[in-house]
């Protein structure tokens, strides 16, 4: 969903570097995959076509932080919980 973003912190030797991949348009989302020692973060369209992809060696990734869009929080009623 537009506004979703993922922050990736990697070890670059003596320093750390931070990268960010965000869903920039309506209908796009950010997907994370971890295969064969490679972490891949992609912005994809509604149909699943990747628009932008960032790849990192899993051994270098220090943190992977997902930031959902602020308006996407579920209310108690949406989750099926009642306040009574």
């Amino acid at each position: 969903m537009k506004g979703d973003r993922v922050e990736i912190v990697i070890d670059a030797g003596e320093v750390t570097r931070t990268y960010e991949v965000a869903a920039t348009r309506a209908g796009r989302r950010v997907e994370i995959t971890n295969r064969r020692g490679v972490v891949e973060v992609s912005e994809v369209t509604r149909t699943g076509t990747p628009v932008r992809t960032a790849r990192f060696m899993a051994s270098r990734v220090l943190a992977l932080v997902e930031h959902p869009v602020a308006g996407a929080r579920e209310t108690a009623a949406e989750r099926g919980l009642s306040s009574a």
Side-chain angles (χ1 to χ4, degrees):
M1 145 177 272
K2 182 179 178 179
D4 285 348
R5 63 188 176 94
V6 175
E7 211 176 324
I8 307 105
V9 180
I10 64 160
D11 176 19
E14 296 180 9
V15 296
T16 60
R17 294 187 188 223
T18 303
Y19 297 93
E20 186 175 295
V21 176
T24 57
R25 295 178 130 186
R28 292 191 180 167
R29 63 187 184 276
V30 180
E31 291 184 349
I32 302 167
T33 56
N34 187 357
R35 293 187 205 134
R36 305 184 105 194
V38 176
V39 175
E40 186 174 285
V41 182
S42 300
E43 177 186 1
V44 295
T45 62
R46 288 182 179 130
T47 61
T49 306
V51 177
R52 193 173 25 200
T53 301
R55 291 186 182 107
F56 305 95
M57 292 175 48
S59 61
R60 295 286 186 184
V61 175
L62 300 175
L64 194 66
V65 183
E66 296 180 62
H67 298 280
V69 68
R73 293 190 177 131
E74 292 181 351
T75 63
E78 290 174 324
R79 286 180 274 162
L81 303 174
S82 64
S83 58

